[in-house]
Amino acid sequence: MYRENSSATLLQSAKPVSHLEDIKARSRLLRGTIENGLNDAVTGAISDDDNKLLKFHGSYQQDDRDLRDERRRQKLEPAYSFMIRARLPGGVVTPDQWLAFDDIARRYSTRGLRITTRQTFQWHGVVKRNLKATMQGIHNALATTIAACGDVNRQVVCSVNPHLSGQHALVWEWAKALSDHFIPRTRAYHEIWLDGERITDEPEEEPIYGNLYLPRKFKMGVAIPPLNDIDVFAQDLGLIAIIEDGQLSGFNVAVGGGMGATHGDETTYPRLASVIGFVTPQQLLTVAEAVVTTQRDFGNRSERQYARLKYTIDHRGLEWFKCEVEKRAGFELAPARTYHFDRNGDDFGWKQGEDGRWHLGLYIESGRLWDANDQRLQTGVRQIAQVHHGEFRLTCNQNLVVANVPDQERGRIDDLVTKWGLDGYKTHSAMRRNTAACVALPTCGLAMAESERYAPELLHKLEAILARYQLLNAPILLRLSGCPNGCSRPYLGEIALVGRAPGRYDLRLGADFSGQRLNVVYRHNIAEPAILQELDELLRNYANDRQADEHFGDYLLRAGILPPPGPTLTPIVWLTPATAV
Ligand code: SRM
Ligand code: SF4
């Protein structure tokens, strides 16, 4: 039996709620008619409404955009398939899980395994009749896909590599606790995918979310200074672990980060999270819940483009938000503690932890592990998983750490890394090692331009420029996104390309190297020749005029090539009254 949750009654809007709110309300806690749709053999798709609910189960319906025109000509329905995303808190994967995930990829997906910018895996190209078997395979590997997408708290990301110290391991435990705390409680997932028993006489409710879940997606991440590898200020709720005298004292709380924007619409924008205070570990879940429920009750449920937490905060004011969170938590947040980030990006090569065990950082281009063309990266990591007894850690920069390796096992892992061409980290330019590119074409329905498939070609050309100016060892954050949604967090790239149309991008410049300053548009809507020309000149000047250890983004500001950053962006963007009281 399904019971209405009281949070639904909080919705009072001048504008009608969006269609998606209506779908959620009618869904019986995310069931909709997904099961019927899966059984309909006439089409490879499911209904639009169910497709929206399916996201909460960790899957998106897509179609192969490379084939769209041809199939239309042949009067066939689009080549539908599904992308599936796992929920792997902090990106931790055991070797057994790796082998199971790899089996799933070989059996059901068309493009191998894809490490995402939020430390998890996606499988692309799973056809409808295999969707259930894929979900079951992931479940059997002791993982899940629930709430990997949808208007809920998603995968909680965490700095890598926690095994470098006992305190880091503790921080990961908290990231996992957060992830578990916000998992939806609906039994729909079990019923639909795992053939779970339907229990009809017990009330079923979502104690945190209510039956409408959140107004929009919600993201949490925990960073461990001085490394900001997760881009903590891009999270709705970013937590900065404060380790003092070798002990975890607690977390600074940052709220309202987000990247998504729409071209040409200045009422939507990327925003860095604002630090509002400090909590002890014991207070963490209470405060996180207060943040989430405040957004649940005050977020915009009429206009989805303004529904992220960043707009709720900018609309009502940061001080109001903080007071509301404190009221719900039942205590005041302590003043934020001092912290310092000195960089983003991942560590590559072998690093030893304080317990003497080793961790090997491997560069994976755009996170794609796929046996294609002349590469066998998927097989290579599979072979490592067959001999590895520690675990793997996926990073938010789409890379991979073979973690927790005893000294005597290193040689064996190194041999496999070399054999299967996973040793690129030793020779690649520093820019390549600091590049992230979103998936974009052919699977992403929102892509306006290529990203993942364009990155290798672009990097090849940029490396020729870097070599000319002896900059191959200069770490420069490069981010590519096929549209302004910002899945590679391009607004935090020292150099970023944001797709506008096939072959055309906005060139954005000037973020810092530690994820604490947004970049700005330098040239709108330009094609590759102009991109290369602009970057050639700027990189030449940087090579000649940079100060010792000065990063490219900082140089552009100091040299006056970009304007100094303005005040923190807090425009009031909604023209309509707030949607909740
Ligand atoms: Fe994303 C939508 C891929 C991280 C902001 N994102 C999508 C979809 C699902 C397209 C869609 O809605 O139809 C993309 C699927 C492409 C495909 O074929 O796989 C997609 N996003 C990805 C991934 C796979 C990019 C990657 O190359 O790794 C990342 C998966 C993360 C994960 O494992 O959970 C991914 N997306 C991000 C990030 C980065 C982050 O979270 O750190 C962002 C920016 C941060 C943020 O959320 O503000 C991001 N994705 C978006 C948005 C814009 C949201 C907004 O507030 O406007 C959309 C579109 C939307 O939600 O309407 C989107
Ligand atoms: Fe797709 Fe745009 Fe995200 Fe790239 S940034 S994966 S094109 S939604």
Side-chain angles (χ1 to χ4, degrees), residues 60 62 85 114 116-118 120 122 124 216-217 219 258-260 308 398 438-439 443-444 446 485-487 489:
Y60 282 68
Q62 305 183 315
R85 188 183 287 165
R114 174 59 155 70
T116 73
T117 53
R118 289 191 73 76
T120 189
Q122 283 187 183
H124 288 101
R216 199 71 161 87
K217 58 174 71 166
K219 299 180 175 179
M259 296 280 101
R308 290 294 291 271
Q398 305 170 321
C438 76
V439 177
T443 51
C444 179
L446 305 179
N485 283 319
C487 298
R489 299 182 294 273

PDB file of all heavy atoms in Angstrom, residues 60 62 85 114 116-118 120 122 124 216-217 219 258-260 308 398 438-439 443-444 446 485-487 489, ligand 1:
ATOM      1  N   TYR A  60      18.575   5.676 -18.825  1.00  0.00           N
ATOM      2  CA  TYR A  60      17.992   6.629 -19.774  1.00  0.00           C
ATOM      3  C   TYR A  60      17.750   5.931 -21.095  1.00  0.00           C
ATOM      4  O   TYR A  60      18.631   5.230 -21.588  1.00  0.00           O
ATOM      5  CB  TYR A  60      18.985   7.755 -20.101  1.00  0.00           C
ATOM      6  CG  TYR A  60      19.127   8.833 -19.086  1.00  0.00           C
ATOM      7  CD1 TYR A  60      19.706   8.561 -17.856  1.00  0.00           C
ATOM      8  CD2 TYR A  60      18.745  10.141 -19.370  1.00  0.00           C
ATOM      9  CE1 TYR A  60      19.885   9.568 -16.927  1.00  0.00           C
ATOM     10  CE2 TYR A  60      18.924  11.152 -18.445  1.00  0.00           C
ATOM     11  CZ  TYR A  60      19.481  10.859 -17.224  1.00  0.00           C
ATOM     12  OH  TYR A  60      19.662  11.852 -16.304  1.00  0.00           O
ATOM     13  N   GLN A  62      17.842   6.129 -24.953  1.00  0.00           N
ATOM     14  CA  GLN A  62      18.569   6.942 -25.931  1.00  0.00           C
ATOM     15  C   GLN A  62      18.341   6.350 -27.317  1.00  0.00           C
ATOM     16  O   GLN A  62      17.728   5.296 -27.448  1.00  0.00           O
ATOM     17  CB  GLN A  62      20.067   6.918 -25.620  1.00  0.00           C
ATOM     18  CG  GLN A  62      20.404   7.351 -24.195  1.00  0.00           C
ATOM     19  CD  GLN A  62      21.888   7.398 -23.920  1.00  0.00           C
ATOM     20  OE1 GLN A  62      22.604   6.485 -24.293  1.00  0.00           O
ATOM     21  NE2 GLN A  62      22.338   8.463 -23.257  1.00  0.00           N
ATOM     22  N   ARG A  85      23.394   3.450 -15.526  1.00  0.00           N
ATOM     23  CA  ARG A  85      24.432   4.051 -14.673  1.00  0.00           C
ATOM     24  C   ARG A  85      24.381   3.406 -13.288  1.00  0.00           C
ATOM     25  O   ARG A  85      23.303   3.277 -12.711  1.00  0.00           O
ATOM     26  CB  ARG A  85      24.152   5.548 -14.569  1.00  0.00           C
ATOM     27  CG  ARG A  85      25.226   6.345 -13.893  1.00  0.00           C
ATOM     28  CD  ARG A  85      24.810   7.811 -13.774  1.00  0.00           C
ATOM     29  NE  ARG A  85      24.834   8.538 -15.034  1.00  0.00           N
ATOM     30  CZ  ARG A  85      24.243   9.719 -15.216  1.00  0.00           C
ATOM     31  NH1 ARG A  85      23.591  10.301 -14.224  1.00  0.00           N
ATOM     32  NH2 ARG A  85      24.300  10.331 -16.383  1.00  0.00           N
ATOM     33  N   ARG A 114      32.162   2.749 -19.352  1.00  0.00           N
ATOM     34  CA  ARG A 114      32.506   4.175 -19.416  1.00  0.00           C
ATOM     35  C   ARG A 114      32.578   4.735 -17.997  1.00  0.00           C
ATOM     36  O   ARG A 114      31.585   4.722 -17.266  1.00  0.00           O
ATOM     37  CB  ARG A 114      31.438   4.901 -20.241  1.00  0.00           C
ATOM     38  CG  ARG A 114      31.550   6.410 -20.286  1.00  0.00           C
ATOM     39  CD  ARG A 114      32.897   6.870 -20.859  1.00  0.00           C
ATOM     40  NE  ARG A 114      32.830   8.187 -21.443  1.00  0.00           N
ATOM     41  CZ  ARG A 114      32.669   9.322 -20.764  1.00  0.00           C
ATOM     42  NH1 ARG A 114      32.496   9.302 -19.461  1.00  0.00           N
ATOM     43  NH2 ARG A 114      32.656  10.472 -21.409  1.00  0.00           N
ATOM     44  N   THR A 116      32.514   7.700 -15.561  1.00  0.00           N
ATOM     45  CA  THR A 116      31.900   9.020 -15.716  1.00  0.00           C
ATOM     46  C   THR A 116      32.628  10.075 -14.873  1.00  0.00           C
ATOM     47  O   THR A 116      33.479   9.745 -14.045  1.00  0.00           O
ATOM     48  CB  THR A 116      30.425   9.001 -15.263  1.00  0.00           C
ATOM     49  OG1 THR A 116      30.396   8.929 -13.823  1.00  0.00           O
ATOM     50  CG2 THR A 116      29.672   7.827 -15.838  1.00  0.00           C
ATOM     51  N   THR A 117      32.227  11.314 -15.073  1.00  0.00           N
ATOM     52  CA  THR A 117      32.802  12.420 -14.292  1.00  0.00           C
ATOM     53  C   THR A 117      32.291  12.434 -12.853  1.00  0.00           C
ATOM     54  O   THR A 117      32.634  13.316 -12.082  1.00  0.00           O
ATOM     55  CB  THR A 117      32.474  13.777 -14.941  1.00  0.00           C
ATOM     56  OG1 THR A 117      31.054  13.849 -15.134  1.00  0.00           O
ATOM     57  CG2 THR A 117      33.184  13.950 -16.262  1.00  0.00           C
ATOM     58  N   ARG A 118      31.434  11.460 -12.505  1.00  0.00           N
ATOM     59  CA  ARG A 118      31.032  11.310 -11.110  1.00  0.00           C
ATOM     60  C   ARG A 118      31.404   9.926 -10.588  1.00  0.00           C
ATOM     61  O   ARG A 118      30.655   9.306  -9.849  1.00  0.00           O
ATOM     62  CB  ARG A 118      29.528  11.582 -10.917  1.00  0.00           C
ATOM     63  CG  ARG A 118      29.176  13.033 -11.082  1.00  0.00           C
ATOM     64  CD  ARG A 118      27.759  13.340 -10.633  1.00  0.00           C
ATOM     65  NE  ARG A 118      27.608  13.325  -9.198  1.00  0.00           N
ATOM     66  CZ  ARG A 118      28.018  14.294  -8.374  1.00  0.00           C
ATOM     67  NH1 ARG A 118      28.607  15.359  -8.865  1.00  0.00           N
ATOM     68  NH2 ARG A 118      27.836  14.196  -7.072  1.00  0.00           N
ATOM     69  N   THR A 120      31.554   6.834 -11.534  1.00  0.00           N
ATOM     70  CA  THR A 120      30.840   5.566 -11.634  1.00  0.00           C
ATOM     71  C   THR A 120      30.923   5.039 -13.056  1.00  0.00           C
ATOM     72  O   THR A 120      31.632   5.593 -13.900  1.00  0.00           O
ATOM     73  CB  THR A 120      29.384   5.702 -11.147  1.00  0.00           C
ATOM     74  OG1 THR A 120      28.806   4.403 -11.075  1.00  0.00           O
ATOM     75  CG2 THR A 120      28.548   6.587 -12.032  1.00  0.00           C
ATOM     76  N   GLN A 122      28.977   3.791 -16.650  1.00  0.00           N
ATOM     77  CA  GLN A 122      27.802   3.738 -17.513  1.00  0.00           C
ATOM     78  C   GLN A 122      28.018   2.635 -18.542  1.00  0.00           C
ATOM     79  O   GLN A 122      29.128   2.425 -19.014  1.00  0.00           O
ATOM     80  CB  GLN A 122      27.597   5.070 -18.241  1.00  0.00           C
ATOM     81  CG  GLN A 122      27.002   6.128 -17.362  1.00  0.00           C
ATOM     82  CD  GLN A 122      26.636   7.411 -18.106  1.00  0.00           C
ATOM     83  OE1 GLN A 122      26.202   8.355 -17.476  1.00  0.00           O
ATOM     84  NE2 GLN A 122      26.806   7.448 -19.416  1.00  0.00           N
ATOM     85  N   HIS A 124      26.439   1.730 -22.218  1.00  0.00           N
ATOM     86  CA  HIS A 124      25.618   2.302 -23.293  1.00  0.00           C
ATOM     87  C   HIS A 124      25.114   1.190 -24.219  1.00  0.00           C
ATOM     88  O   HIS A 124      25.756   0.145 -24.350  1.00  0.00           O
ATOM     89  CB  HIS A 124      26.448   3.290 -24.133  1.00  0.00           C
ATOM     90  CG  HIS A 124      26.756   4.570 -23.418  1.00  0.00           C
ATOM     91  ND1 HIS A 124      27.966   4.828 -22.840  1.00  0.00           N
ATOM     92  CD2 HIS A 124      25.994   5.666 -23.177  1.00  0.00           C
ATOM     93  CE1 HIS A 124      27.945   6.032 -22.272  1.00  0.00           C
ATOM     94  NE2 HIS A 124      26.759   6.568 -22.458  1.00  0.00           N
ATOM     95  N   ARG A 216      14.507  18.543  -8.585  1.00  0.00           N
ATOM     96  CA  ARG A 216      15.504  18.359  -9.652  1.00  0.00           C
ATOM     97  C   ARG A 216      16.597  17.459  -9.102  1.00  0.00           C
ATOM     98  O   ARG A 216      16.636  17.157  -7.905  1.00  0.00           O
ATOM     99  CB  ARG A 216      16.064  19.753  -9.994  1.00  0.00           C
ATOM    100  CG  ARG A 216      16.768  19.903 -11.332  1.00  0.00           C
ATOM    101  CD  ARG A 216      15.817  19.852 -12.499  1.00  0.00           C
ATOM    102  NE  ARG A 216      16.423  20.424 -13.696  1.00  0.00           N
ATOM    103  CZ  ARG A 216      17.182  19.746 -14.560  1.00  0.00           C
ATOM    104  NH1 ARG A 216      17.434  18.468 -14.364  1.00  0.00           N
ATOM    105  NH2 ARG A 216      17.681  20.356 -15.629  1.00  0.00           N
ATOM    106  N   LYS A 217      17.517  17.075  -9.964  1.00  0.00           N
ATOM    107  CA  LYS A 217      18.649  16.260  -9.498  1.00  0.00           C
ATOM    108  C   LYS A 217      19.386  16.964  -8.355  1.00  0.00           C
ATOM    109  O   LYS A 217      19.357  18.207  -8.248  1.00  0.00           O
ATOM    110  CB  LYS A 217      19.610  15.996 -10.651  1.00  0.00           C
ATOM    111  CG  LYS A 217      20.148  17.255 -11.302  1.00  0.00           C
ATOM    112  CD  LYS A 217      21.207  16.981 -12.360  1.00  0.00           C
ATOM    113  CE  LYS A 217      20.679  16.366 -13.617  1.00  0.00           C
ATOM    114  NZ  LYS A 217      21.630  16.406 -14.747  1.00  0.00           N
ATOM    115  N   LYS A 219      23.202  16.715  -6.059  1.00  0.00           N
ATOM    116  CA  LYS A 219      24.520  16.070  -6.054  1.00  0.00           C
ATOM    117  C   LYS A 219      25.319  16.448  -4.818  1.00  0.00           C
ATOM    118  O   LYS A 219      25.337  17.614  -4.436  1.00  0.00           O
ATOM    119  CB  LYS A 219      25.285  16.466  -7.314  1.00  0.00           C
ATOM    120  CG  LYS A 219      24.563  16.020  -8.582  1.00  0.00           C
ATOM    121  CD  LYS A 219      25.310  16.399  -9.833  1.00  0.00           C
ATOM    122  CE  LYS A 219      24.607  15.833 -11.057  1.00  0.00           C
ATOM    123  NZ  LYS A 219      25.291  16.206 -12.303  1.00  0.00           N
ATOM    124  N   GLY A 258      26.608  24.192  -9.073  1.00  0.00           N
ATOM    125  CA  GLY A 258      25.966  23.547 -10.226  1.00  0.00           C
ATOM    126  C   GLY A 258      26.535  24.135 -11.497  1.00  0.00           C
ATOM    127  O   GLY A 258      26.986  25.280 -11.509  1.00  0.00           O
ATOM    128  N   MET A 259      26.533  23.334 -12.545  1.00  0.00           N
ATOM    129  CA  MET A 259      27.171  23.764 -13.787  1.00  0.00           C
ATOM    130  C   MET A 259      26.189  24.122 -14.893  1.00  0.00           C
ATOM    131  O   MET A 259      26.463  24.966 -15.717  1.00  0.00           O
ATOM    132  CB  MET A 259      28.093  22.648 -14.316  1.00  0.00           C
ATOM    133  CG  MET A 259      29.270  22.304 -13.427  1.00  0.00           C
ATOM    134  SD  MET A 259      30.651  23.458 -13.594  1.00  0.00           S
ATOM    135  CE  MET A 259      30.437  24.480 -12.154  1.00  0.00           C
ATOM    136  N   GLY A 260      25.031  23.480 -14.920  1.00  0.00           N
ATOM    137  CA  GLY A 260      24.173  23.562 -16.101  1.00  0.00           C
ATOM    138  C   GLY A 260      23.725  24.976 -16.437  1.00  0.00           C
ATOM    139  O   GLY A 260      23.442  25.789 -15.558  1.00  0.00           O
ATOM    140  N   ARG A 308      17.165  23.718  -9.760  1.00  0.00           N
ATOM    141  CA  ARG A 308      18.305  23.259  -8.956  1.00  0.00           C
ATOM    142  C   ARG A 308      18.451  24.111  -7.700  1.00  0.00           C
ATOM    143  O   ARG A 308      18.026  25.272  -7.644  1.00  0.00           O
ATOM    144  CB  ARG A 308      19.616  23.360  -9.775  1.00  0.00           C
ATOM    145  CG  ARG A 308      19.745  22.358 -10.910  1.00  0.00           C
ATOM    146  CD  ARG A 308      19.858  20.919 -10.456  1.00  0.00           C
ATOM    147  NE  ARG A 308      21.103  20.589  -9.787  1.00  0.00           N
ATOM    148  CZ  ARG A 308      22.202  20.170 -10.395  1.00  0.00           C
ATOM    149  NH1 ARG A 308      22.221  20.056 -11.714  1.00  0.00           N
ATOM    150  NH2 ARG A 308      23.281  19.860  -9.697  1.00  0.00           N
ATOM    151  N   GLN A 398      37.481  10.900 -14.696  1.00  0.00           N
ATOM    152  CA  GLN A 398      37.305   9.771 -15.618  1.00  0.00           C
ATOM    153  C   GLN A 398      38.509   8.842 -15.670  1.00  0.00           C
ATOM    154  O   GLN A 398      38.709   8.144 -16.650  1.00  0.00           O
ATOM    155  CB  GLN A 398      36.987  10.284 -17.032  1.00  0.00           C
ATOM    156  CG  GLN A 398      35.794  11.225 -17.085  1.00  0.00           C
ATOM    157  CD  GLN A 398      35.630  11.898 -18.427  1.00  0.00           C
ATOM    158  OE1 GLN A 398      36.608  12.282 -19.058  1.00  0.00           O
ATOM    159  NE2 GLN A 398      34.399  12.065 -18.870  1.00  0.00           N
ATOM    160  N   CYS A 438      32.930  15.086 -21.977  1.00  0.00           N
ATOM    161  CA  CYS A 438      31.667  14.391 -21.730  1.00  0.00           C
ATOM    162  C   CYS A 438      31.369  13.427 -22.873  1.00  0.00           C
ATOM    163  O   CYS A 438      32.000  13.478 -23.925  1.00  0.00           O
ATOM    164  CB  CYS A 438      30.536  15.404 -21.578  1.00  0.00           C
ATOM    165  SG  CYS A 438      30.019  16.103 -23.151  1.00  0.00           S
ATOM    166  N   VAL A 439      30.352  12.604 -22.686  1.00  0.00           N
ATOM    167  CA  VAL A 439      30.038  11.568 -23.685  1.00  0.00           C
ATOM    168  C   VAL A 439      29.617  12.184 -25.021  1.00  0.00           C
ATOM    169  O   VAL A 439      30.159  11.867 -26.071  1.00  0.00           O
ATOM    170  CB  VAL A 439      28.888  10.661 -23.169  1.00  0.00           C
ATOM    171  CG1 VAL A 439      28.509   9.645 -24.216  1.00  0.00           C
ATOM    172  CG2 VAL A 439      29.269   9.985 -21.860  1.00  0.00           C
ATOM    173  N   THR A 443      25.444   8.975 -28.320  1.00  0.00           N
ATOM    174  CA  THR A 443      24.347   8.514 -27.461  1.00  0.00           C
ATOM    175  C   THR A 443      23.570   9.648 -26.793  1.00  0.00           C
ATOM    176  O   THR A 443      22.375   9.512 -26.550  1.00  0.00           O
ATOM    177  CB  THR A 443      24.879   7.556 -26.369  1.00  0.00           C
ATOM    178  OG1 THR A 443      25.978   8.168 -25.706  1.00  0.00           O
ATOM    179  CG2 THR A 443      25.299   6.228 -26.951  1.00  0.00           C
ATOM    180  N   CYS A 444      24.225  10.739 -26.461  1.00  0.00           N
ATOM    181  CA  CYS A 444      23.546  11.769 -25.684  1.00  0.00           C
ATOM    182  C   CYS A 444      22.539  12.534 -26.533  1.00  0.00           C
ATOM    183  O   CYS A 444      22.909  13.161 -27.532  1.00  0.00           O
ATOM    184  CB  CYS A 444      24.564  12.748 -25.084  1.00  0.00           C
ATOM    185  SG  CYS A 444      23.722  14.039 -24.163  1.00  0.00           S
ATOM    186  N   LEU A 446      21.120  15.226 -25.918  1.00  0.00           N
ATOM    187  CA  LEU A 446      21.184  16.678 -25.775  1.00  0.00           C
ATOM    188  C   LEU A 446      22.415  17.279 -26.457  1.00  0.00           C
ATOM    189  O   LEU A 446      22.567  18.495 -26.499  1.00  0.00           O
ATOM    190  CB  LEU A 446      21.198  17.048 -24.288  1.00  0.00           C
ATOM    191  CG  LEU A 446      20.033  16.489 -23.462  1.00  0.00           C
ATOM    192  CD1 LEU A 446      20.163  16.898 -22.000  1.00  0.00           C
ATOM    193  CD2 LEU A 446      18.699  16.953 -24.015  1.00  0.00           C
ATOM    194  N   ASN A 485      25.103  21.990 -20.798  1.00  0.00           N
ATOM    195  CA  ASN A 485      24.727  21.333 -19.534  1.00  0.00           C
ATOM    196  C   ASN A 485      25.939  21.096 -18.643  1.00  0.00           C
ATOM    197  O   ASN A 485      25.812  21.010 -17.419  1.00  0.00           O
ATOM    198  CB  ASN A 485      24.011  20.010 -19.807  1.00  0.00           C
ATOM    199  CG  ASN A 485      22.586  20.248 -20.236  1.00  0.00           C
ATOM    200  OD1 ASN A 485      21.910  21.107 -19.685  1.00  0.00           O
ATOM    201  ND2 ASN A 485      22.135  19.531 -21.243  1.00  0.00           N
ATOM    202  N   GLY A 486      27.084  20.948 -19.268  1.00  0.00           N
ATOM    203  CA  GLY A 486      28.314  20.986 -18.469  1.00  0.00           C
ATOM    204  C   GLY A 486      28.690  19.710 -17.758  1.00  0.00           C
ATOM    205  O   GLY A 486      29.190  19.740 -16.631  1.00  0.00           O
ATOM    206  N   CYS A 487      28.502  18.560 -18.405  1.00  0.00           N
ATOM    207  CA  CYS A 487      28.762  17.286 -17.724  1.00  0.00           C
ATOM    208  C   CYS A 487      30.251  17.037 -17.455  1.00  0.00           C
ATOM    209  O   CYS A 487      30.586  16.212 -16.611  1.00  0.00           O
ATOM    210  CB  CYS A 487      28.177  16.131 -18.522  1.00  0.00           C
ATOM    211  SG  CYS A 487      26.391  16.251 -18.684  1.00  0.00           S
ATOM    212  N   ARG A 489      32.028  19.449 -16.367  1.00  0.00           N
ATOM    213  CA  ARG A 489      32.265  20.637 -15.542  1.00  0.00           C
ATOM    214  C   ARG A 489      33.162  21.634 -16.283  1.00  0.00           C
ATOM    215  O   ARG A 489      34.193  22.081 -15.778  1.00  0.00           O
ATOM    216  CB  ARG A 489      32.845  20.245 -14.183  1.00  0.00           C
ATOM    217  CG  ARG A 489      31.924  19.346 -13.367  1.00  0.00           C
ATOM    218  CD  ARG A 489      32.480  19.003 -12.001  1.00  0.00           C
ATOM    219  NE  ARG A 489      33.660  18.187 -12.058  1.00  0.00           N
ATOM    220  CZ  ARG A 489      33.689  16.862 -12.130  1.00  0.00           C
ATOM    221  NH1 ARG A 489      32.560  16.179 -12.110  1.00  0.00           N
ATOM    222  NH2 ARG A 489      34.826  16.213 -12.204  1.00  0.00           N
TER     223      ARG A 489
HETATM  224 FE1  SRM B   1      25.288  15.062 -17.125  1.00  0.00          FE
HETATM  225  C1  SRM B   1      22.239  15.285 -18.586  1.00  0.00           C
HETATM  226  C2  SRM B   1      26.077  12.462 -19.059  1.00  0.00           C
HETATM  227  C3  SRM B   1      27.912  14.442 -15.135  1.00  0.00           C
HETATM  228  C4  SRM B   1      24.993  18.199 -15.824  1.00  0.00           C
HETATM  229  N1  SRM B   1      24.294  14.020 -18.535  1.00  0.00           N
HETATM  230  C5  SRM B   1      23.021  14.241 -18.974  1.00  0.00           C
HETATM  231  C6  SRM B   1      22.558  13.116 -19.897  1.00  0.00           C
HETATM  232  C7  SRM B   1      21.900  12.079 -19.058  1.00  0.00           C
HETATM  233  C8  SRM B   1      21.703  13.555 -21.090  1.00  0.00           C
HETATM  234  C9  SRM B   1      20.212  13.520 -20.942  1.00  0.00           C
HETATM  235  O1  SRM B   1      19.666  14.052 -19.962  1.00  0.00           O
HETATM  236  O2  SRM B   1      19.571  12.988 -21.849  1.00  0.00           O
HETATM  237  C10 SRM B   1      23.935  12.627 -20.418  1.00  0.00           C
HETATM  238  C11 SRM B   1      23.994  11.190 -20.901  1.00  0.00           C
HETATM  239  C12 SRM B   1      25.023  11.060 -21.985  1.00  0.00           C
HETATM  240  C13 SRM B   1      25.334   9.666 -22.335  1.00  0.00           C
HETATM  241  O3  SRM B   1      25.046   9.276 -23.488  1.00  0.00           O
HETATM  242  O4  SRM B   1      25.891   8.939 -21.526  1.00  0.00           O
HETATM  243  C14 SRM B   1      24.833  13.025 -19.274  1.00  0.00           C
HETATM  244  N2  SRM B   1      26.652  13.638 -17.042  1.00  0.00           N
HETATM  245  C15 SRM B   1      26.877  12.694 -17.988  1.00  0.00           C
HETATM  246  C16 SRM B   1      28.170  11.956 -17.742  1.00  0.00           C
HETATM  247  C17 SRM B   1      28.132  10.502 -18.173  1.00  0.00           C
HETATM  248  C18 SRM B   1      29.284  12.739 -18.440  1.00  0.00           C
HETATM  249  C19 SRM B   1      30.601  12.028 -18.600  1.00  0.00           C
HETATM  250  O5  SRM B   1      31.134  12.167 -19.693  1.00  0.00           O
HETATM  251  O6  SRM B   1      31.086  11.383 -17.692  1.00  0.00           O
HETATM  252  C20 SRM B   1      28.309  12.193 -16.231  1.00  0.00           C
HETATM  253  C21 SRM B   1      27.609  11.150 -15.421  1.00  0.00           C
HETATM  254  C22 SRM B   1      27.691  11.462 -13.987  1.00  0.00           C
HETATM  255  C23 SRM B   1      27.256  10.372 -13.076  1.00  0.00           C
HETATM  256  O7  SRM B   1      27.915   9.332 -13.069  1.00  0.00           O
HETATM  257  O8  SRM B   1      26.301  10.580 -12.327  1.00  0.00           O
HETATM  258  C24 SRM B   1      27.581  13.517 -16.090  1.00  0.00           C
HETATM  259  N3  SRM B   1      26.231  16.089 -15.668  1.00  0.00           N
HETATM  260  C25 SRM B   1      27.372  15.702 -15.049  1.00  0.00           C
HETATM  261  C26 SRM B   1      27.949  16.802 -14.332  1.00  0.00           C
HETATM  262  C27 SRM B   1      29.256  16.788 -13.564  1.00  0.00           C
HETATM  263  C28 SRM B   1      29.066  16.497 -12.125  1.00  0.00           C
HETATM  264  O9  SRM B   1      27.979  16.192 -11.673  1.00  0.00           O
HETATM  265  O10 SRM B   1      30.053  16.588 -11.406  1.00  0.00           O
HETATM  266  C29 SRM B   1      27.115  17.887 -14.542  1.00  0.00           C
HETATM  267  C30 SRM B   1      27.353  19.329 -14.040  1.00  0.00           C
HETATM  268  C31 SRM B   1      27.075  19.494 -12.612  1.00  0.00           C
HETATM  269  C32 SRM B   1      25.634  19.801 -12.379  1.00  0.00           C
HETATM  270  O11 SRM B   1      24.828  18.870 -12.297  1.00  0.00           O
HETATM  271  O12 SRM B   1      25.285  20.979 -12.307  1.00  0.00           O
HETATM  272  C33 SRM B   1      26.036  17.424 -15.377  1.00  0.00           C
HETATM  273  N4  SRM B   1      23.837  16.488 -17.155  1.00  0.00           N
HETATM  274  C34 SRM B   1      23.942  17.731 -16.604  1.00  0.00           C
HETATM  275  C35 SRM B   1      22.782  18.497 -16.957  1.00  0.00           C
HETATM  276  C36 SRM B   1      22.497  19.971 -16.562  1.00  0.00           C
HETATM  277  C37 SRM B   1      21.836  20.048 -15.235  1.00  0.00           C
HETATM  278  C38 SRM B   1      21.380  21.455 -14.913  1.00  0.00           C
HETATM  279  O13 SRM B   1      21.326  21.796 -13.738  1.00  0.00           O
HETATM  280  O14 SRM B   1      21.044  22.207 -15.811  1.00  0.00           O
HETATM  281  C39 SRM B   1      21.983  17.655 -17.762  1.00  0.00           C
HETATM  282  C40 SRM B   1      20.625  17.995 -18.402  1.00  0.00           C
HETATM  283  C41 SRM B   1      19.501  17.986 -17.436  1.00  0.00           C
HETATM  284  O15 SRM B   1      19.594  17.558 -16.299  1.00  0.00           O
HETATM  285  O16 SRM B   1      18.431  18.445 -17.847  1.00  0.00           O
HETATM  286  C42 SRM B   1      22.681  16.408 -17.879  1.00  0.00           C
END
